[in-house]
Amino acid sequence: MADAPAREDIVTRLPAVRPGAFRRLLEHEQFLAALLLSPTLVILGLFIAYPFAKGIWLSVSSATVGNPGVFIGAENFVKVWNDSIFQKAAQNTVIYTAVATVFKLGLGMILALLLNHHFRGKRLIRASILLPFIIPTVLSTFAWKWMFDPTFSVINWTLYYFGLIAQRIPWLSDSNLALGSVIIVNVWRGMPFFAITLLAGLQTVNPELHEAAAMDGANGWQRFWRITWPLLLPVTMVVVLFSVIQTFADFQLVYVLTGGGPANSTHLFATYAYQIGVATGLLGEGAAISLAMFPILFVIVILQLWYIRRVEGA
Amino acid sequence: MIRGPRWKRWAFFYIPLTFYLIGLLFPFYWMLVTSFRPDNELYRSWRAATNTPLWTLNPTLEHFVYLFTNTVFGTWLYNTMFIAIMSTLISLFCGLLAGYALARLRFPMAGSLGTSIFVSYLVPPTLLFIPLAAVIRNFHLQDSPWALILTSPTFLIPFCTWLLMGYFKTIPRELEECARIDGATRLQAMIRIVFPIATPGILSAGIFAFTLSWNEFIYALVFLSSPQQKTVPVGVVSELIRGDVYFWGPLMAGALLGSVPVALIYSFFVEHYVTGLTGAVKG
């Protein structure tokens, strides 16, 4: 091994070990593991486990801002369940997640296949397509809000310039269009992540398989469905489940673009929980709305864990 | 190189790729043009004949001047930077130790602990922001950068741990065993042998943690209230929108400047970022 001399050098420079009680304890695997894991467990305990328990308490209490509240059982959940805006938000969240994920996967897959070719400037293009994913979401979403502006919209200007529209399109202020517009921005932001990850998956596909299939007379389409897609399935599953969790719990995009409006037509679980829990100050009800996401997220996480185990076990 | 006849290359490669590039990058171009466009050009109707939305012949710095004289944008940038660096350091520290323990040490519950750390990575901030705000108040951390420095690690540590665990598993155990035979303690072997070899993984985890922390919004929105304490995304939202009025010029200038640090770091370490991203997803 090439780095062997250097390693020996490091080791001989180590100070001589004097066996002390603490040192011997450090050699004990279980003690060392507990020690190394403690900072992580303290932070996750204080800022995830404890708030989670507190959230459950809030959701069954009448707490509002400045009022600790009393136990009221499932009242918040019943109220929320019968609330038409909550029902709308739940429906929106499902549509938002489903439609955006399908487009992110489809468009991301096509882009990954395009980038899987060799061409000049590949590295630069690969790096720049990931920009929507890394630029802070709120900031890039403002660019979209400005592009969607009903009167000064550059999108409307372009469509009008090419003669595609005669009337201006109120992208975010029409309740029929707003959810679609928000989904467009989500797809724009999340698709590069799909593309890059799928591209990494594509690069592990052995090109000889394709050549062999091509010699047997398979066309490009057949080669994709019979070879690439099955080999890519594990990566795809993980990316999709991961993205579903993120999209389902999304907040920033809608908060900036519409704030849940017009007429509550774009509320998601998170934006509605914010409006009720923070803006209105009904902590108990807001916590109940947030927690309503939990059962669904839980199922997705279990699915993901099960799938990772299965793939790793195989 | 792309094979096949020329028309095929254009139809199935160059043209689609160009569409993708325009679609993905146009919003940033729009941000850039708006930042330098004078107000009297900014507000022209979508159908106006005089409209030249895609460029300007009279670039101006007025929006940037506004940003630095009428808001505390410099302070927001500093706050965001401070919070991102501190949360990244804390998360790397915790992630390194926890990742090593989970990848290398044998102890009861190792499997279930690893799983629960992974699951906590999948708990989105929007699930917990309401009770967490109460917790932050209990600890007297509200309206302080420490509210974010201590809460951002809840989604950064699991990511770092998971990524570094994968890295540690690829480092052969024999290297450590050699060092220990030569008299190094477990800790010394970890710090002097394993950590240096894992440097690329540490770098990936660090860049990723930094960009994620810079991007964080809902905690910053809920925990910070005074203008002096805000981060760039929250400051821009609360100070450059007054009622229904959007100050689009300064808003876009702020969005541009708030994106530059992340874009710079990303451009220097893009390969690390990409391998970190894809490695973490594949688990």
Side-chain angles (χ1 to χ4, degrees):
Chain A
M1 237 189 257
D3 58 347
R7 200 177 67 240
E8 271 171 22
D9 195 38
I10 294 170
V11 174
T12 48
R13 273 194 276 110
L14 294 173
V17 184
R18 274 197 213 98
F22 186 66
R23 287 245 164 121
R24 252 177 292 137
L25 210 50
L26 281 181
E27 294 300 306
H28 192 267
E29 288 204 32
Q30 295 186 17
F31 175 80
L32 187 63
L35 187 74
L36 296 181
L37 282 164
S38 54
T40 296
L41 295 180
V42 166
I43 292 188
L44 297 186
L46 280 181
F47 298 106
I48 288 195
Y50 173 45
F52 191 75
K54 185 136 190 151
I56 293 176
W57 158 248
L58 280 177
S59 70
V60 293
S61 80
S62 60
T64 56
V65 170
N67 165 25
V70 293
F71 178 76
I72 55 165
E75 213 175 283
N76 285 324
F77 288 99
V78 173
K79 191 175 167 199
V80 158
W81 186 257
N82 292 315
D83 171 8
S84 64
I85 304 176
F86 175 81
Q87 290 166 4
K88 181 76 184 163
Q91 186 196 331
N92 283 343
T93 310
V94 171
I95 296 174
Y96 180 73
T97 309
V99 176
T101 305
V102 166
F103 276 96
K104 281 189 271 196
L105 177 60
L107 289 169
M109 180 67 83
I110 297 172
L111 182 55
L113 290 170
L114 287 173
L115 291 176
N116 200 28
H117 292 289
H118 292 289
F119 56 93
R120 235 184 305 155
K122 180 178 171 172
R123 286 165 79 94
L124 183 69
I125 288 176
R126 222 179 68 168
S128 53
I129 63 131
L130 208 52
L131 274 177
F133 187 71
I134 67 130
I135 298 294
T137 312
V138 167
L139 303 179
S140 58
T141 304
F142 266 114
W144 277 96
K145 187 169 171 86
W146 177 219
M147 280 160 52
F148 279 141
D149 187 282
T151 309
F152 310 110
S153 168
V154 68
I155 298 179
N156 283 350
W157 179 87
T158 312
L159 294 176
Y160 179 72
Y161 187 85
F162 288 106
L164 295 170
I165 55 168
Q167 295 289 312
R168 72 176 189 183
I169 302 176
W171 294 97
L172 297 172
S173 46
D174 180 319
S175 54
N176 295 316
L177 289 174
L179 190 62
S181 308
V182 174
I183 290 175
I184 291 176
V185 182
N186 184 284
V187 171
W188 171 82
R189 190 196 119 75
M191 187 260 284
F193 168 69
F194 276 75
I196 287 295
T197 318
L198 293 173
L199 177 64
L202 279 176
Q203 285 170 348
T204 63
V205 175
N206 188 346
E208 282 173 23
L209 288 175
H210 272 268
E211 280 159 26
M215 278 205 270
D216 290 341
N219 62 31
W221 193 242
Q222 288 167 327
R223 290 201 303 266
F224 176 77
W225 279 115
R226 298 286 171 81
I227 299 172
T228 313
W229 177 249
L231 287 171
L232 220 50
L233 197 59
V235 182
T236 312
M237 277 292 285
V238 176
V239 189
V240 166
L241 289 174
F242 182 81
S243 162
V244 163
I245 293 169
Q246 304 290 323
T247 315
F248 197 82
D250 205 1
F251 172 80
Q252 316 191 6
L253 275 178
V254 172
Y255 180 81
V256 169
L257 286 175
T258 63
N264 301 311
S265 60
T266 57
H267 263 312
L268 305 178
F269 278 114
T271 56
Y272 193 48
Y274 176 82
Q275 189 182 319
I276 297 293
V278 178
T280 318
L282 301 170
L283 292 179
E285 223 182 301
I289 297 171
S290 279
L291 281 181
M293 281 191 275
F294 183 72
I296 304 160
L297 290 176
F298 187 73
V299 171
I300 304 168
V301 170
I302 296 293
L303 260 178
Q304 172 142 18
L305 282 174
W306 171 78
Y307 194 80
I308 289 174
R309 288 268 156 76
R310 217 189 64 161
V311 171
E312 275 177 359
Chain B
M1 224 32 226
I2 324 301
R3 280 169 289 191
R6 184 181 286 260
W7 72 267
K8 245 186 167 167
R9 267 181 278 162
W10 280 97
F12 293 110
F13 184 74
Y14 293 114
I15 292 174
L17 192 63
T18 310
F19 270 105
Y20 269 103
L21 279 178
I22 292 174
L24 290 172
L25 299 181
F26 182 77
F28 301 118
Y29 176 74
W30 188 234
M31 222 185 236
L32 187 76
V33 174
T34 307
S35 307
F36 292 101
R37 188 189 290 274
D39 261 338
N40 64 352
E41 267 188 42
L42 218 46
Y43 299 107
R44 277 183 191 160
S45 165
W46 65 293
R47 275 206 295 206
T50 53
N51 207 345
T52 54
L54 299 179
W55 69 90
T56 176
L57 295 176
N58 310 299
T60 167
L61 287 174
E62 63 180 278
H63 304 311
F64 292 93
V65 172
Y66 182 95
L67 204 57
F68 283 98
T69 53
N70 286 292
T71 72
V72 287
F73 190 80
T75 311
W76 299 339
L77 263 181
Y78 171 80
N79 292 344
T80 321
M81 186 79 80
F82 177 66
I83 290 167
I85 289 173
M86 291 304 286
S87 351
T88 301
L89 290 179
I90 291 177
S91 309
L92 274 182
F93 175 77
C94 294
L96 265 173
L97 302 186
Y100 179 85
L102 292 171
R104 276 289 202 267
L105 302 176
R106 273 180 294 267
F107 56 99
M109 312 219 311
S112 49
L113 258 178
T115 307
S116 37
I117 290 178
F118 179 68
V119 169
S120 64
Y121 172 50
L122 299 171
V123 175
T126 44
L127 192 69
L128 292 179
F129 69 100
I130 292 173
L132 200 52
V135 171
I136 291 293
R137 252 195 319 275
N138 285 352
F139 295 158
H140 299 288
L141 290 170
Q142 76 271 35
D143 210 18
S144 138
W146 290 96
L148 296 178
I149 292 171
L150 292 169
T151 51
S152 306
T154 56
F155 52 88
L156 303 178
I157 291 175
F159 178 82
C160 292
T161 305
W162 210 252
L163 195 144
L164 290 167
M165 213 173 101
Y167 236 93
F168 291 147
K169 280 184 179 159
T170 64
I171 298 171
R173 273 176 191 277
E174 291 75 42
L175 289 180
E176 256 179 293
E177 277 156 16
C178 280
R180 300 198 54 213
I181 289 165
D182 291 343
T185 65
R186 268 220 109 95
L187 269 186
Q188 285 171 327
M190 172 180 98
I191 295 169
R192 307 221 182 156
I193 309 289
V194 180
F195 287 1
I197 302 176
T199 307
I202 300 174
L203 208 56
S204 298
I207 304 154
F208 212 85
F210 183 85
T211 55
L212 276 178
S213 163
W214 196 280
N215 191 10
E216 204 290 313
F217 181 65
I218 191 164
Y219 287 168
L221 181 70
V222 178
F223 303 157
L224 308 175
S225 46
S226 52
Q228 296 292 337
Q229 298 296 340
K230 284 178 175 161
T231 59
V232 172
V234 179
V236 163
V237 169
S238 61
E239 311 290 320
L240 293 170
I241 306 167
R242 306 262 163 78
D244 281 348
V245 183
Y246 285 74
F247 293 75
W248 280 117
L251 243 172
M252 288 296 105
L256 189 70
L257 289 184
S259 307
V260 166
V262 194
L264 272 181
I265 288 187
Y266 167 73
S267 63
F268 281 123
F269 299 105
V270 58
E271 290 304 318
H272 277 286
Y273 189 89
V274 173
T275 41
L277 192 70
T278 49
V281 166
K282 282 187 283 184

